[in-house]
Amino acid sequence: MMNKRKNVLVIILVILITSIVTFTATTFFSIEFGDKVIISKKDFVQYQKLSKLLAVKSIIQDNYIEVPEEEDLYTGAVKGLVRALDDPYSVYFDKQEFAELLEHTQGEYSGLGLLVTVDPEDNLITVVKTFKDSPAQQVGIKIGDKIVNVNNQDVTGDEFDMAITMMKGVEGTEVDVRIFRPQEKKFYDHKIKRAKVHIDTVASKIYDKEIGYVEISTFDNNTAKEFETHLDGLIKQGIKGIIIDVRNNPGGSLEQVVEVTDKLVPEGLIVYTKQRDGTGEKFTADKDWVEMPIAVLINGGSASASEILAGAVKDRKSGILIGEKTFGKGLVQQLWPFEDGTGLKFTISKYYTPSGKCIQDIGIEPDIKVELPEEYKTSSIIEEKDDSQLQTALDKVNQMINE
């Protein structure tokens, strides 16, 4: 009898040890006794919180007027979980949405050919750029327009990524878009045919034979390489100063903007990030940089990665900022792909300029404030002679060259 009890204790002890090892590896502690399962208190509390979700799912499946797709219910639940963060930059993507997001970062996609951001003042999706000859530009969509409805579905900043996904699609198909133009206080409805949009994120030219000009429209996976090619070409032509234009650039890849900014500031800090536990990462420049007069053009559409570039140039005193205050997005997102092709984009940290400033909801002030003429403030096309910000930059760079 004694040996039998001893054997039972040994078995229980082995089960406990095995369960503890399993708990350490999987963070879920459980012991099975026949059809009974013992779980940790922490996991039981978690189960209790999830039980309502499962109960609602069951009620809907059993009683809703139409039989729902179970996968749609799970997808909706996960999207709702992320939406509860109340962060327009954190989004769960289904398989198609995530594939389209990844496609967009490669520099080519089928859609309308515009760049948008969320205006923090009204939480509306706001156009910050339309690409040349794009479907959006052809129907007359302008900078500053608010996209309020896509395919008969109202959208705000809370549906930012969903709206972008809805506007993209198969080349040649149509999408209905309603925009509100604040300056005119009017709504406009457009039926737009999607087209293949190739984004050359960098363009350049030379002014007065010695001032290089580089426009960066966004920071995707090819931007740093494109920038280096354009910069090398300008240097070979003998430029003595340079203007970097990131007006209406909504941002993009942290890694790409760091590579670009590395060429614009001397050796040292470019930007650093902080996560919620206080840890983070520092990004620095090496000794190889463009040692010549630099001006950076900014405005309210310059956001995120654009502000990293502007903040580094300003704080490291390697150039001057000209234009208007930037958007004020000091957050960093991470993409988290899942094996089934879906994905999660969520905010993981804040970034800080070299002087220690987090510009979230604040923005960066220019060194020289210059506003565009009123008639051009909402236009994506402006004559160079009327571009007061560009003309000021040309004058200032020319002055610095001759000092």
Side-chain angles (χ1 to χ4, degrees):
M1 186 70 174
M2 190 69 177
N3 286 338
K4 191 173 183 180
R5 286 181 180 176
K6 188 175 181 180
N7 289 338
V8 170
L9 288 173
V10 169
I11 292 171
I12 292 174
L13 183 60
V14 170
I15 292 173
L16 285 172
I17 292 172
T18 304
S19 299
I20 290 171
V21 171
T22 303
F23 171 66
T24 302
T26 67
T27 72
F28 184 82
F29 177 68
S30 65
I31 304 174
E32 294 187 19
F33 288 102
D35 61 349
K36 300 291 191 299
V37 177
I38 299 175
I39 63 175
S40 70
K41 183 177 180 180
K42 177 182 176 181
D43 289 320
F44 179 68
V45 171
Q46 185 79 345
Y47 170 76
Q48 285 182 310
K49 291 178 179 179
L50 292 174
S51 62
K52 182 180 288 187
L53 178 65
L54 296 174
V56 171
K57 170 183 168 291
S58 180
I59 291 169
I60 290 174
Q61 285 183 309
D62 293 342
N63 300 282
Y64 186 64
I65 191 169
E66 296 177 359
V67 179
E69 291 288 339
E70 186 174 50
E71 190 61 32
D72 290 343
L73 294 179
Y74 281 122
T75 298
V78 177
K79 282 182 176 288
L81 185 69
V82 180
R83 197 175 295 126
L85 296 172
D86 195 24
D87 174 7
Y89 308 111
S90 295
V91 183
Y92 172 77
F93 301 92
D94 63 27
K95 189 173 182 179
Q96 180 181 345
E97 292 168 343
F98 196 58
E100 291 174 349
L101 175 69
L102 295 178
E103 178 187 46
H104 184 67
T105 64
Q106 302 305 313
E108 187 172 86
Y109 69 100
S110 292
L112 308 186
L114 48 76
L115 290 176
V116 293
T117 191
V118 179
D119 188 335
E121 292 186 5
D122 54 22
N123 193 36
L124 291 179
I125 300 171
T126 305
V127 178
V128 296
K129 186 179 183 67
T130 60
F131 293 103
K132 184 179 179 181
D133 298 327
S134 66
Q137 193 175 89
Q138 288 171 6
V139 300
I141 292 179
K142 299 180 179 181
I143 294 172
D145 286 350
K146 312 285 184 175
I147 296 174
V148 295
N149 187 287
V150 181
N151 283 342
N152 298 315
Q153 183 167 338
D154 291 338
V155 292
T156 66
D158 296 334
E159 294 82 30
F160 180 75
D161 286 286
M162 181 191 74
I164 290 175
T165 300
M166 291 171 68
M167 287 187 284
K168 292 190 293 185
V170 178
E171 182 179 6
T173 59
E174 293 183 330
V175 57
D176 294 315
V177 177
R178 167 171 282 195
I179 64 103
F180 174 69
R181 188 162 294 159
Q183 293 76 16
E184 301 174 10
K185 296 183 179 178
K186 290 183 179 179
F187 290 91
Y188 292 91
D189 292 310
H190 300 287
K191 184 177 289 291
I192 311 174
K193 183 174 290 188
R194 298 180 178 96
K196 185 68 73 176
V197 179
H198 177 74
I199 305 174
D200 289 320
T201 62
V202 182
S204 66
K205 63 176 68 175
I206 292 181
Y207 289 97
D208 304 325
K209 297 182 180 180
E210 57 183 14
I211 300 177
Y213 168 87
V214 180
E215 179 186 22
I216 307 174
S217 60
T218 187
F219 291 93
D220 71 17
N221 291 346
N222 300 313
T223 300
K225 184 181 294 184
E226 288 182 41
F227 178 77
E228 186 173 0
T229 299
H230 282 269
L231 182 61
D232 288 346
L234 293 172
I235 291 174
K236 287 177 181 177
Q237 295 179 69
I239 63 168
K240 297 178 181 178
I242 189 166
I243 297 170
I244 307 296
D245 191 345
V246 290
R247 291 176 296 179
N248 300 314
N249 180 325
S253 165
L254 172 61
E255 291 74 17
Q256 293 291 308
V257 73
V258 166
E259 284 191 47
V260 170
T261 308
D262 183 21
K263 303 294 184 182
L264 303 176
V265 298
E267 183 178 13
L269 188 62
I270 293 175
V271 66
Y272 66 95
T273 63
K274 278 187 182 179
Q275 298 177 345
R276 67 181 183 186
D277 62 359
T279 62
E281 190 173 359
K282 290 184 178 181
F283 299 87
T284 58
D286 58 27
K287 295 179 181 179
D288 182 22
W289 71 292
V290 182
E291 295 188 61
M292 64 177 66
I294 297 172
V296 179
L297 293 175
I298 57 172
N299 65 4
S302 306
S304 192
S306 298
E307 294 172 291
I308 289 177
L309 184 153
V313 168
K314 183 171 185 175
D315 286 0
R316 300 297 310 283
K317 303 187 187 313
S318 63
I320 58 172
L321 308 185
I322 297 173
E324 300 167 83
K325 187 173 76 169
T326 61
F327 180 80
K329 180 177 181 286
L331 305 175
V332 179
Q333 282 75 45
Q334 177 180 335
L335 288 180
W336 191 291
F338 295 103
E339 291 184 356
D340 62 356
T342 62
L344 178 66
K345 183 183 77 169
F346 61 106
T347 301
I348 58 168
S349 61
K350 292 182 178 180
Y351 74 75
Y352 295 78
T353 66
S355 63
K357 296 176 183 175
C358 178
I359 53 86
Q360 176 65 21
D361 296 328
I362 298 173
I364 299 173
E365 293 285 353
D367 297 301
I368 302 175
K369 185 174 182 179
V370 181
E371 293 186 358
L372 290 176
E374 193 65 36
E375 62 268 29
Y376 290 116
K377 285 186 176 180
T378 60
S379 175
S380 58
I381 302 175
I382 181 171
E383 294 289 335
E384 289 182 358
K385 63 182 179 62
D386 297 324
D387 189 342
S388 52
Q389 294 168 345
L390 173 61
Q391 295 302 322
T392 300
L394 288 169
D395 291 342
K396 190 63 180 176
V397 172
N398 186 58
Q399 178 185 333
M400 289 189 290
I401 290 173
N402 294 304
E403 285 179 347

